């Protein structure tokens, strides 16, 4: 039987849920909504979204979830294990239409919230302000030095001008996008916090869904 992409994602996720206490989702070409749906399913089985890292030059997203030991999470996992005892290809999973990662109406809001959290954290990981500012000023200095050493002013001087424009513009766009995501999280009742590394993040309100 040929599995759909959604079925392959779900199969890989369930394998991690049953064997590990830490889940890592790495799907280089997946949309953010796909990560949100997979994280939702994992949370139904007793995990919680923890963080996202952007790895390598291609900035591939690695979504991390950890097992939630709270009584509420254990109750939710037990209830979903009983209701969906054998999730997988051709069989239902919590909150999704059969054979897909499209949320049913009652799960849509939770999936959207998790997706927004992931996108907010990813935007923060992508916009290392100190690093980008350093590159914005170091880049022109390097091109000017090369221009003096090589005499290729026509090629290198435009690069010295355009490099900070591009980097600072990218930083501004990313900060604006992240601010809009933060507004959506605030509107959903999330609380802004700073984690142990000093990063700005959000904590979701306690959910009573099972």
């Amino acid at each position: 039987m040929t599995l759909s992409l959604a079925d392959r994602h779900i199969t890989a996720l369930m394998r991690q849920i049953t064997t590990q206490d830490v889940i890592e989702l790495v799907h280089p070409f997946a949309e953010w909504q796909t990560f949100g749906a997979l994280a939702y399913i994992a949370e139904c089985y007793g995990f919680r979204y923890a963080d996202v890292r952007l790895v390598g030059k291609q900035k591939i997203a690695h979504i991390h979830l950890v097992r939630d030991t709270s009584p509420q999470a254990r109750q939710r996992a037990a209830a979903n294990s009983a209701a969906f005892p054998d999730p997988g290809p051709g069989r239902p999973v919590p909150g999704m239409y059969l054979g897909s990662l499209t949320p049913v109406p009652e799960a849509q809001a939770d999936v959207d919230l998790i997706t927004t959290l992931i996108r907010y954290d990813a935007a923060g990981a992508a916009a290392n302000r100190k690093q980008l500012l350093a590159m914005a000023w170091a880049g022109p200095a390097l091109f000017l030095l090369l221009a003096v050493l090589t005499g290729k002013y026509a090629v290198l001087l435009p690069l010295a001008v355009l490099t900070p424009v591009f980097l600072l513009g990218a930083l501004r766009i990313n900060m604006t996008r992240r601010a809009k995501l933060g507004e959506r999280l605030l509107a959903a009742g999330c609380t802004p916090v700073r984690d142990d590394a000093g990063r700005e993040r959000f904590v979701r309100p306690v959910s009573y869904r099972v």
Side-chain angles (χ1 to χ4, degrees):
M1 180 178 66
T2 302
L3 298 180
S4 68
L5 183 58
D7 282 334
R8 292 200 295 271
H9 285 333
I10 292 170
T11 299
L13 174 65
M14 296 310 302
R15 186 180 300 118
Q16 291 194 73
I17 286 174
T18 56
T19 60
Q20 301 172 194
D21 289 329
V22 177
I23 292 175
E24 184 177 55
L25 304 176
V26 186
H27 304 299
F29 303 106
E31 297 180 352
W32 293 117
Q33 190 75 11
T34 298
F35 286 123
L38 291 170
Y40 173 92
I41 295 170
E43 291 196 349
C44 286
Y45 286 98
F47 284 77
R48 60 178 174 82
Y49 165 68
D51 202 358
V52 56
R53 292 187 300 115
L54 302 181
V55 178
K57 293 182 179 179
Q58 303 302 320
K59 300 296 184 182
I60 296 175
H62 290 232
I63 314 300
H64 290 263
L65 300 102
V66 297
R67 194 173 294 279
D68 190 340
T69 59
S70 69
Q72 179 191 350
R74 292 185 178 187
Q75 178 186 4
R76 182 169 63 244
N80 282 296
S81 294
F84 304 91
D86 188 26
R91 298 181 296 277
V93 296
M96 303 295 143
Y97 286 106
L98 184 64
S100 78
L101 286 171
T102 301
V104 298
E106 53 268 31
Q108 186 69 63
D110 281 330
V111 173
D112 288 345
L113 183 55
I114 297 172
T115 302
T116 303
L117 275 172
I118 293 172
R119 290 180 60 196
Y120 182 87
D121 289 343
N128 186 322
R129 181 179 175 83
K130 290 183 179 179
Q131 184 181 50
L132 286 176
L133 288 176
M135 291 171 60
W137 300 119
L142 175 61
F143 287 125
L144 287 173
L145 176 61
L146 289 174
V148 171
L149 293 175
T150 64
K152 296 181 179 179
Y153 293 97
V155 175
L156 295 171
L157 287 183
L159 292 176
V161 174
L162 292 175
T163 296
V165 172
F166 174 78
L167 291 174
L168 294 175
L171 178 61
R172 183 180 180 85
I173 291 172
N174 192 77
M175 290 176 63
T176 300
R177 182 182 296 119
R178 193 167 189 245
K180 291 181 179 179
L181 293 170
E183 291 173 0
R184 288 165 58 180
L185 292 171
L186 284 172
C190 296
T191 303
V193 298
R194 284 193 179 273
D195 65 10
D196 294 339
R199 297 178 303 167
E200 296 177 353
R201 305 191 66 194
F202 279 88
V203 175
R204 280 174 287 174
V206 175
S207 171
Y208 294 95
R209 64 176 172 81
V210 175

